[in-house]
Amino acid sequence: FGWIEVIASGAMYAGKTREFIKRIDELKWAKKKILIVKPMLDDRYGESCVMSHNGDNVTAINIKCPLEILELIKRDNYDVVAIDEAQFFDKKIVQVIKDLRDSGFLVLITGLNTTAEGKPFGPMPEILCIADDITILYGVCAACGKPATKTLALFDKDQDIVVGGQGKYEPRCNKHWVHNRL
Ligand code: TMP
Ligand code: MG
């Protein structure tokens, strides 16, 4: 049996992808074969790249549906499946992750727990429930510098998913988070 490791946060810019890339680097040093995937719809940094806000990046395969992972793992002798931005996937990802664990894979996942409105983000609640290990990261509140566990949308946001980074979203603490925009 394998193991499910989740790196999550309520705030964007908390270093999830940076931590993800660090763990991938360590696993590469340990000679593990790693399949890295991310949702097609996160197109911020081009086709096949997982990029943190500080510019670190690794090569990933863009997929539309979680079930594609089950095909991709047949292509090589992978030890690890790493999934970035899991909040964007539909709930099928949950069963895929369990199946990967039961087949012996280490599954490494990052995701944003909550939307800017504070709602559970996509499959993240279920993913946290099946995790063997959870790392919760904080950001720095853009208004006061205290630990940020929330994200503020700086635009009129009328749906859960709006891909974006600087200029669209800011990390905020509980005091400086305004969540009445939906
Ligand atoms: P990050 O956590 O890796 O910085 O990226 C979070 C992504 O999620 C980013 O593309 C913006 C997007 N997002 C939404 O789609 N809806 C939301 O409510 C929030 C806060 C972020
Ligand atoms: Mg990220």
Side-chain angles (χ1 to χ4, degrees):
F1 279 77
W3 181 260
I4 301 169
E5 246 169 65
V6 181
I7 303 163
S9 68
M12 287 177 62
Y13 316 101
K16 293 186 296 296
T17 303
R18 216 182 322 141
E19 176 64 23
F20 183 72
I21 292 170
K22 174 179 168 268
R23 292 197 200 172
I24 288 170
D25 281 343
E26 287 166 0
L27 289 161
K28 282 184 182 162
W29 279 109
K31 301 264 190 291
K32 301 292 181 197
K33 277 216 151 246
I34 310 163
L35 171 68
I36 309 171
V37 298
K38 68 181 181 83
M40 187 76 83
L41 107 170
D42 181 19
D43 56 3
R44 275 177 297 172
Y45 307 106
E47 265 288 287
S48 54
C49 182
V50 170
M51 182 88 89
S52 79
H53 294 291
N54 77 352
D56 292 347
N57 70 88
V58 292
T59 302
I61 297 173
N62 282 317
I63 58 171
K64 283 208 175 101
C65 171
L67 297 174
E68 289 172 54
I69 295 173
L70 301 176
E71 290 306 311
L72 288 167
I73 52 166
K74 293 179 190 161
R75 290 196 193 164
D76 211 333
N77 244 334
Y78 292 111
D79 306 292
V80 181
V81 176
I83 305 167
D84 195 31
E85 308 279 1
Q87 76 275 2
F88 289 146
F89 284 112
D90 65 47
K91 305 230 163 161
K92 286 204 266 306
I93 191 87
V94 179
Q95 191 57 47
V96 169
I97 292 167
K98 287 188 200 167
D99 290 348
L100 290 168
R101 174 200 60 199
D102 294 346
S103 315
F105 288 92
L106 167 62
V107 192
L108 181 58
I109 301 152
T110 76
L112 195 59
N113 281 341
T114 50
T115 66
E117 296 73 32
K119 291 195 293 177
F121 208 151
M124 286 308 292
E126 283 87 345
I127 291 174
L128 291 168
C129 288
I130 59 168
D132 293 294
D133 180 79
I134 301 173
T135 301
I136 296 280
L137 299 175
Y138 309 145
V140 175
C141 176
C144 71
K146 292 207 171 111
T149 58
K150 307 288 190 295
T151 306
L152 178 70
L154 304 171
F155 59 99
D156 246 335
K157 186 165 172 286
D158 57 3
Q159 54 191 354
D160 282 353
I161 296 184
V162 181
V163 172
Q166 311 268 340
K168 272 196 174 158
Y169 294 103
E170 267 179 13
R172 294 290 183 115
C173 68
N174 288 329
K175 183 176 170 193
H176 293 112
W177 175 58
V178 189
H179 55 92
N180 57 355
R181 292 174 176 242
L182 195 69

